[in-house]
Amino acid sequence: MCIVIMPSSPVIDSMDSNSNDHITHKHTMYKMAMFTIMIILSVVISYADRTNMAITIIPIGDEFKWTERDKGLVLGSFFLGYLMTQVVGGWLSDGNNGGVVLAGGVFAWSLFTLITPFTITKLKIPGAVISRIGLGMAEGVGYPSVHAMLTTRIPMQSMNMMVATVNSMSYVGAVIALLVSAPLAASMGWRFVFWLFGGVGMVWVIPWLVYIYYFDYHLHNEPIHVLAEDRKPMSPGTRRRLLAQKQTPANPDLRDNQNNGPVPKKRLLQDKHVLAMFACYYANTWGFWMIMSWLPTYLKDRFGSDLKDLGWLSLFPYLMQGVVGLAAGALADRVMLKHNNDLSMKRKFRLVAQGVAMIIPGVLLIIMLMVKDLYASVGIMTTAMALNALSSVGVGINHFDLAPEQAGFLYGVMNTIGVVPGLVGVPLTGWIVAGLGSKMGWPIGFAIASLHYIIGYTIWFWFGSFEKIKV
């Protein structure tokens, strides 16, 4: 089949240009909307699959007579797998491969979710550990692949809102898991929880594969006349290659670096500003993982809450995190746009947001231990976690400031470091509570988290940077 290009005239060229611009704009907007929806759903599914164990481990522990040490081992094993694939996931995703990496990750973690009841029933604690490690390995590629795709698809002036939206959807996933898991486990048994959540993930993979084929690899990415200027038929591979050459990154920092190349990875990982970001992120995730993993158990242990009540009591912190995170993203984009992305304003905004996200929650965790009322404790915890959502426009987006062209890789390393608190802190808390008892164990566990918040923020305040690292 031949492609015929008609002789041009100024009038025809103008009409064709306007028509093509209109079609391309509509196509781009549709593509962006679909991308946003599918990414949001993937994050919701990811956090729902990892969070449901916080509820189901209670009836599982009752059925198989597990101790707090056993539960801590099972909860912490997820992070061992999660630790293994962060960097690899980011490295594979940088460029145009993020969609395929994400598809493989969602399929794998949904599969491990589905088989969790079987492995626990047959192998008990070793089976639970194996399933959680596998789940963690599969989910480990999720966030790095998403952040790699954001770099090339989202304009920098909208990046705060998009990152905040992605982070907020993680809280929505946790809320769904807590809301659904408790009543399902009480009425239909804990095994059904894993079957339901794993099945939802499998269903998501199908439209996502259609999306990445149609939008990332199909001819419709550009009008046909743009790709066929030489009047010769082209294979799909040639079309994709030419299209890749014509594409312009949404982020202007990437365009600036096209000639110079990215910052060498070794130099990037030795930069003091990057190390300060890693330290702050590590400290921030210590408190987050501890609360996410142990909050239902803490409420049951401290106040004797019923299993049916744990779901809705535990959801309020995550719900408010989502709301505050979205508001913070919108505010950050508005402030940066108003001040033309001024470096001084960016520094002030990021530092204030992160300070509120870590210092105040650090104090509130200590205050919560002094409160003897269930609902007051939930209220304090909700406030602490809601404020912590501001980290999505603080240290949580700092890697886009420092090295946007390697956002996937850098986030993979950062999130690997952020997994260590889950791998170490979650089982450590279980050991402390089991060894010292609830009366002393929980205060020590929360005090450690509070100390992490304060020290981590102090390091980033003094050594953090918000300017792109030069090649």
Side-chain angles (χ1 to χ4, degrees):
M1 175 180 178
C2 296
I3 299 173
V4 179
I5 301 181
M6 301 297 293
S8 63
S9 72
V11 176
I12 293 176
D13 286 347
S14 176
M15 292 174 62
D16 287 347
S17 176
N18 292 335
S19 176
N20 287 325
D21 287 346
H22 178 68
I23 293 172
T24 302
H25 176 71
K26 287 182 64 177
H27 181 265
T28 300
M29 295 302 295
Y30 178 71
K31 178 179 178 180
M32 286 291 299
M34 288 298 297
F35 171 77
T36 302
I37 292 170
M38 294 302 294
I39 290 298
I40 285 173
L41 289 175
S42 73
V43 174
V44 170
I45 294 169
S46 170
Y47 267 76
D49 285 349
R50 75 177 68 175
T51 306
N52 58 29
M53 183 61 83
I55 291 291
T56 55
I57 200 168
I58 296 174
I60 293 172
D62 293 340
E63 180 176 335
F64 296 105
K65 310 302 180 185
W66 289 355
T67 66
E68 297 303 315
R69 288 189 179 93
D70 297 332
K71 294 177 183 178
L73 175 63
V74 172
L75 290 171
S77 60
F78 167 86
F79 302 101
L80 178 60
Y82 201 58
L83 186 78
M84 296 178 183
T85 54
Q86 295 283 326
V87 178
V88 174
W91 177 68
L92 290 175
S93 300
D94 277 329
N96 295 316
N97 301 317
V100 176
V101 174
L102 181 60
V106 177
F107 176 83
W109 84 55
S110 299
L111 180 62
F112 277 106
T113 301
L114 285 169
I115 68 172
T116 295
F118 174 79
T119 58
I120 293 177
T121 302
K122 294 294 183 182
L123 302 175
K124 308 301 187 292
I125 292 177
V129 169
I130 292 171
S131 295
R132 295 294 287 179
I133 291 176
L135 176 69
M137 291 180 66
E139 290 206 7
V141 305
Y143 257 99
S145 64
V146 168
H147 279 247
M149 287 187 286
L150 294 183
T151 304
T152 56
R153 298 168 191 248
I154 303 299
M156 199 60 196
Q157 62 266 26
S158 302
M159 191 65 74
N160 288 288
M161 184 60 191
M162 190 62 188
V163 172
T165 300
V166 169
N167 290 338
S168 296
M169 290 307 106
S170 67
Y171 310 137
V172 172
V175 167
I176 292 174
L178 293 170
L179 270 178
V180 173
S181 298
L184 275 183
S187 61
M188 304 186 69
W190 59 268
R191 292 170 178 83
F192 188 80
V193 174
F194 293 99
W195 295 333
L196 175 63
F197 282 60
V200 171
M202 288 294 186
V203 171
W204 178 92
V205 173
I206 298 172
W208 178 249
L209 289 175
V210 173
Y211 169 86
I212 60 176
Y213 169 75
Y214 184 78
F215 286 113
D216 289 356
Y217 297 99
H218 197 269
L219 184 62
H220 285 86
N221 270 1
E222 290 283 356
I224 186 66
H225 73 275
V226 175
L227 297 174
E229 292 171 349
D230 59 359
R231 303 180 182 226
K232 296 179 181 178
M234 291 179 290
S235 67
T238 303
R239 286 171 175 147
R240 289 196 296 268
R241 177 176 57 79
L242 292 177
L243 177 59
Q245 293 173 355
K246 292 176 180 292
Q247 283 179 329
T248 302
N251 189 336
D253 288 331
L254 296 181
R255 298 196 289 270
D256 294 340
N257 254 5
Q258 283 180 332
N259 295 326
N260 297 329
V263 180
K265 289 181 172 58
K266 183 177 180 181
R267 179 184 164 191
L268 198 63
L269 297 178
Q270 293 174 342
D271 188 272
K272 68 177 182 179
H273 306 309
V274 172
L275 296 177
M277 176 183 69
F278 288 164
C280 184
Y281 191 80
Y282 162 86
N284 189 64
T285 56
W286 184 286
F288 176 78
W289 288 125
M290 179 195 167
I291 294 169
M292 173 175 280
S293 300
W294 286 112
L295 179 58
T297 302
Y298 170 76
L299 295 177
K300 180 177 183 295
D301 193 15
R302 178 79 186 275
F303 301 104
S305 302
D306 185 76
L307 178 62
K308 294 180 180 179
D309 297 329
L310 288 176
W312 70 268
L313 284 173
S314 302
L315 72 85
F316 287 110
Y318 301 104
L319 188 62
M320 290 307 300
Q321 272 190 315
V323 173
V324 173
L326 288 173
L331 177 62
D333 277 342
R334 185 173 181 178
V335 170
M336 293 300 106
L337 184 62
K338 181 179 179 181
H339 293 273
N340 198 26
N341 210 33
D342 177 69
L343 181 62
S344 176
M345 176 55 64
K346 182 189 292 185
R347 175 181 175 82
K348 292 176 182 177
F349 189 91
R350 297 259 199 270
L351 288 175
V352 170
Q354 195 63 37
V356 174
M358 297 182 77
I359 300 299
I360 297 178
V363 174
L364 289 176
L365 290 181
I366 302 302
I367 294 176
M368 185 190 68
L369 295 169
M370 305 174 187
V371 175
K372 298 181 180 180
D373 180 74
L374 169 63
Y375 299 105
S377 294
V378 172
I380 293 173
M381 183 65 72
T382 298
T383 303
M385 294 190 73
L387 294 177
N388 187 248
L390 291 171
S391 62
S392 64
V393 294
V395 73
I397 199 173
N398 194 212
H399 54 295
F400 289 107
D401 300 328
L402 301 178
E405 73 283 356
Q406 299 194 70
F409 168 76
L410 198 57
Y411 186 81
V413 177
M414 184 168 72
N415 217 28
T416 298
I417 295 170
V419 170
V420 174
L423 183 63
V424 176
V426 171
L428 176 63
T429 301
W431 278 81
I432 291 174
V433 174
L436 300 178
S438 299
K439 190 173 182 179
M440 291 185 61
W442 290 119
I444 292 176
F446 282 111
I448 293 174
S450 178
L451 195 61
H452 271 79
Y453 277 149
I454 295 170
I455 294 176
Y457 175 73
T458 302
I459 293 173
W460 195 54
F461 180 86
W462 287 109
F463 301 104
S465 175
F466 310 90
E467 189 174 6
K468 186 175 179 294
I469 298 173
K470 302 299 181 183
V471 179

